[in-house]
Amino acid sequence: MGKILTFGEIIMRLSPPGNRTMKQSHEMEFFFGGTELNVASSLAIMGCEVKHVSSVSDDFVGESALSFVKSVGIDTNFISKNEHPLGLYFLEVGSAVRASRIAYNRLNGSFANIEAGNINWKKALEGCDYFHWTGISPGISEAAYEALKEGLETARVMGIEITTDPAYRSNLWKYGKKGNEVLKELVSLSTIFIGGTNEINEILGTQFSSDQNGFLEACEELKKQCPSIHKIFDKIRIGVTASSQQTQGRALVNGNYFETELLEVNPVVDRIGTGDAFAAGLIYGLQNFDDEKALNFANAACAIKHTILGDINYSSAEDILEVMGGNSGGRIKR
């Protein structure tokens, strides 16, 4: 397998233990994560060689974050430090009919103040076969957008496969640029799109339906406006309650449509990072299997992450393959 480079924020998650609300709790659990870091961590745990580009606070919190990143096997040589605090978010974990709630504190954090001109993208991308990014990073700050754009342009020149989960977040984009315009620009520099009708509609300003025909029409329009995109993979999640979810994948590759079976997860332990687990599973799958098996592997990775506390999927490739093969009965392994 080739090397993979990811770019994005390292963020701290703070949660009351169990399913408590903030009002009833006097203690917090913390986890390190971040959308692209979650992808990188999952890939490293599955045995891939991964580098992460980011910036953390120059204090003991940033050191703790770096220690965590190293502990899962990720190359941290391209993670810088600055005087701004590490970004964080608060999560109340819902249950049954009560939804989870999140509040962010990240727009003036260390990653938001990353110095784009100090990243040696050519060196960072050396030996890499994949570069993964999401739409969260360019929404955090103009500095993050500029850094990412330079990295994508460098990767294109180097012939590296670029995967993107556009992940539009309306609560970001506070620095004067329009999110859909920036995302279309950056998606146009990418080659593999991880998203579906909703994401395409947000980027292109279209109104395609979410059924199969709408998905296919949306994919064709995306490829028309962003011709560098040659593969499109979509994750479908059906929320029955906060504690019960169903996942499915679908794709359009070389004019061929295919989809996975539905996987049911009940009860859900943690929904955070499930989309990142899908993206990591897909990248791993594309390096090891054909496109259809890669999609099935990604869907199984997404499903199994719902059972793991924290932001990161700690499942091995073997664990995911078992779920993909139908071994989801939960028997104890002895």
Side-chain angles (χ1 to χ4, degrees):
M1 292 182 291
K3 293 181 183 178
I4 303 134
L5 182 112
T6 53
F7 170 81
E9 183 175 28
I10 301 171
I11 192 168
M12 179 187 284
R13 161 179 155 184
L14 295 163
S15 273
N19 295 99
R20 297 179 185 178
T21 66
M22 291 279 287
K23 291 178 180 178
Q24 69 180 137
S25 182
H26 300 285
E27 57 183 325
M28 305 278 268
E29 298 176 320
F30 78 88
F31 306 88
F32 290 112
T35 300
E36 299 86 354
L37 179 66
N38 297 342
V39 174
S41 299
S42 180
L43 285 164
I45 289 164
M46 288 189 284
C48 299
E49 192 171 350
V50 189
K51 307 175 188 179
H52 189 62
V53 178
S54 190
S55 190
V56 299
S57 55
D58 190 11
D59 55 21
F60 68 90
V61 181
E63 282 295 332
S64 298
L66 281 177
S67 179
F68 168 78
V69 177
K70 291 175 183 176
S71 74
V72 294
I74 297 171
D75 184 339
T76 62
N77 285 320
F78 298 93
I79 299 176
S80 61
K81 296 180 180 179
N82 61 45
E83 70 276 11
H84 296 271
L86 195 78
L88 55 86
Y89 74 98
F90 300 89
L91 169 69
E92 286 184 345
V93 180
S95 179
V97 297
R98 178 171 61 86
S100 297
R101 299 196 300 177
I102 291 178
Y104 289 100
N105 187 349
R106 71 196 311 178
L107 294 182
N108 194 39
S110 48
F111 180 76
N113 289 278
I114 193 169
E115 296 183 20
N118 289 345
I119 302 171
N120 186 337
W121 281 108
K122 190 172 182 180
K123 186 174 181 181
L125 288 161
E126 186 178 7
C128 291
D129 293 308
Y130 282 81
F131 178 11
H132 179 72
W133 67 279
T134 80
I136 292 175
S137 292
I140 292 175
S141 70
E142 190 163 13
Y145 155 69
E146 290 173 350
L148 175 58
K149 183 180 178 182
E150 183 181 345
L152 293 175
E153 290 173 339
T154 305
R156 282 294 299 274
V157 171
M158 296 172 70
I160 294 169
E161 200 82 82
I162 300 171
T163 58
T164 176
D165 172 358
Y168 177 74
R169 297 289 185 271
S170 59
N171 62 329
L172 299 175
W173 304 99
K174 305 294 186 184
Y175 60 94
K177 289 188 180 293
K178 294 183 178 179
N180 62 328
E181 294 178 358
V182 170
L183 290 177
K184 182 179 178 182
E185 174 193 23
L186 300 180
V187 167
S188 296
L189 294 171
S190 306
T191 59
I192 297 174
F193 188 87
I194 306 173
T197 306
N198 290 340
E199 290 77 15
I200 294 171
N201 284 340
E202 287 166 346
I203 294 169
L204 302 184
T206 48
Q207 295 183 335
F208 294 106
S209 63
S210 59
D211 59 19
Q212 181 178 328
N213 286 335
F215 171 70
L216 294 173
E217 291 170 356
C219 289
E220 292 300 334
E221 185 62 26
L222 177 67
K223 291 194 296 179
K224 180 181 177 182
Q225 296 198 36
C226 304
S228 63
I229 297 294
H230 65 99
K231 295 182 180 183
I232 301 170
F233 297 90
D234 182 27
K235 169 186 57 62
I236 302 170
R237 179 168 36 218
I238 302 168
V240 182
T241 68
S243 304
S244 178
Q245 303 281 314
Q246 294 175 322
T247 69
Q248 185 180 30
R250 60 183 177 179
L252 182 68
V253 179
N254 297 325
N256 297 315
Y257 173 82
F258 47 91
E259 62 184 33
T260 73
E261 294 182 354
L262 277 169
L263 291 177
E264 185 170 350
V265 186
N266 186 6
V268 171
V269 173
D270 199 326
R271 258 195 61 178
I272 301 296
T274 54
D276 307 328
F278 181 92
L282 181 65
I283 295 168
Y284 181 92
L286 290 172
Q287 293 192 85
N288 289 277
F289 315 126
D290 61 37
D291 293 324
E292 190 165 358
K293 187 173 181 180
L295 180 65
N296 278 278
F297 187 85
N299 189 47
C302 176
I304 202 171
K305 170 59 188 76
H306 284 79
T307 71
I308 297 173
L309 184 64
D311 289 32
I312 290 163
N313 186 6
Y314 284 94
S315 303
S316 67
E318 291 74 21
D319 293 334
I320 297 167
L321 285 167
E322 283 196 13
V323 172
M324 189 177 83
N327 184 8
S328 55
R331 289 179 62 87
I332 297 174
K333 297 180 180 179
R334 299 183 186 275

